[in-house]
Amino acid sequence: MTHPAMASPCETSPPNRLNPPPVRSPKLVQGIGFAFFRRRAMRNWIKRHGHIFEINVPFFGQSVVVSDPALVRSVCTASTEQLINVQPNLSNWFGPGSVFGLDGSRHRDRRRLLAPAFHGQRLKNYEKVIEDETLRESANWPEGKEFRILEPMSRITLNVILPIIFGADGTELEELREVVPPYMKLGQLMAFVPAPPHWARRHSPWGKLDEFRKAFDRIVFTLIGKADADPALGERADILALLVRRGHDEGTGMSRLDICDELSTFVGAGHETTASALGWAFERLRRHPDVLAELVREVDEGGSDLRRATIFELLRVRTVIDVVGRRVSSPNFDLGEWRIPRGRTVLVRIADLHENPEIFPHPARFDPYRFRGTRPAAPEWLAFGGGARRCIGSDFAIAEMDIVLRTVLQNFRIQTDAAADEKSYFRGVAHIPKLGGRVVVNRRR
């Protein structure tokens, strides 16, 4: 007999079970659980209702939460006529010109334009930049003294992504290195919070966020102007040049503000989440000496298979982005035996999918060998989301993590011990090690 959660999405919904089981606690209680105690709340709700249920929370409203792989596949493969991006989404932070703010053909066209910048030969061209930034940042790491590795990883990923997006270094990039960190830190907290009325905005955290964004836009407008006047614009490989060229070629390209929105998206998405994942990588390796020893042996022999498997596993066991969402745009959306009405939010719980023991035996165990010689795939592994809105920079993020780990392991010994696992801390978008991924290193002589 087929379990209801595994029923085909093409089957006709029984007339007496059109809606998933609801969580019946008050909306405020559900909202607090979802926002502040999400992992515990989700485990309790899954235990009570199974891998699909309905919650009613602030901002997202009535939402269907899904972590069953068959149903997740249906969400990932749904057409853009059925499901569009969730509201609110990250365009609330990055702006309506961001790829997060687009749907349908505009979203497809934007992805088609930007995808080549993060695939193929371009990835190989970035390798030296990533390695050099890792060596530069690690040159002053203290030896034999515990320190937080999250901030160094954040500086590495920022210094890598800025020239890829904006081109050669210069005064403007130095200014961006000052503006971006506080802008991204505050933006994560405000990303899904509706902005207050205009009259109250400047007296709220949104007012400070507006100041950071104005500073960012001012710098980027200067860089756009320089790109417009650059006689070598056609030979440049940076993303800014790509967007400016499109405007030149088609005559009706993106506005300057749209370009700023998209570039702020790439800075945020290509910087913060990768740094968070790298922080978790070192947090895990400190506590797993056998894996670390094998990784060092592999790097000395010039290999990479286990290192790649380690990246896949840490993105599973310490999921950085734990939820992705869609909104039903068709009259209804059939999800297994359930029928979800127009306007309802569908939330895919990536963290609970990654912790499913039927998919990943002993899910709490950090075991890179489960991915050695294979590459995880949807719908069981969704570290970068899935379907038409899968992270466009996923291959770049994996390559960057691989090069950073390789470079650190070649140059440093990481001390291991029996320290308690660091708890997860939610910063509004990404989950990070609560203590910053504390490590002790010594240089390899």
Side-chain angles (χ1 to χ4, degrees), residues 285 291-300 306-307 310 409:
L285 292 180
V291 173
L292 178 59
E294 186 61 28
L295 286 170
V296 172
R297 186 179 303 111
E298 180 187 66
V299 80
D300 288 347
L306 182 60
R307 193 167 62 251
T310 299
L409 293 174

Side-chain angles (χ1 to χ4, degrees), residues 274 308 311-312 315 375 381 384 390 393-403:
T274 307
R308 284 294 177 113
I311 292 169
F312 297 143
L315 289 171
R375 187 182 178 101
W381 188 90
F384 296 99
R390 186 177 189 270
S394 57
D395 287 351
F396 172 77
I398 290 171
E400 182 173 21
M401 293 175 67
D402 179 66
I403 296 164

Side-chain angles (χ1 to χ4, degrees), residues 56-168:
N56 190 3
V57 294
F59 309 149
F60 296 108
Q62 287 184 278
S63 304
V64 176
V65 181
V66 183
S67 57
D68 176 273
L71 302 182
V72 169
R73 183 184 295 277
S74 296
V75 174
C76 291
T77 58
S79 71
T80 54
E81 286 71 36
Q82 294 176 298
L83 298 180
I84 58 177
N85 202 14
V86 67
Q87 291 291 340
N89 59 55
L90 289 177
S91 66
N92 194 39
W93 171 18
F94 295 128
S98 158
V99 68
F100 289 108
L102 307 179
D103 278 301
S105 60
R106 293 181 67 206
H107 178 258
R108 288 194 299 272
D109 290 346
R110 184 69 60 80
R111 285 182 64 93
R112 192 176 298 119
L113 172 69
L114 297 169
F118 295 98
H119 295 87
Q121 183 59 43
R122 293 282 183 89
L123 286 180
K124 295 181 180 179
N125 294 342
Y126 302 148
E127 181 171 354
K128 185 69 163 54
V129 175
I130 298 168
E131 184 176 317
D132 287 349
E133 283 298 334
T134 305
L135 291 172
R136 187 190 63 79
E137 175 63 38
S138 63
N140 296 318
W141 284 0
E143 293 192 62
K145 181 180 178 182
E146 189 178 66
F147 68 99
R148 292 168 55 99
I149 202 146
L150 184 62
E151 287 75 21
M153 293 299 107
S154 185
R155 287 190 290 270
I156 290 170
T157 57
L158 180 61
N159 287 330
V160 166
I161 200 67
L162 286 180
I164 290 172
I165 293 175
F166 297 105

Side-chain angles (χ1 to χ4, degrees), residues 350-371:
I350 299 173
D352 294 317
L353 187 71
H354 288 178
E355 293 177 359
N356 189 330
E358 296 181 7
I359 305 170
F360 301 107
H362 308 290
R365 182 184 299 168
F366 178 63
D367 180 15
Y369 297 95
R370 73 173 88 231
F371 291 124

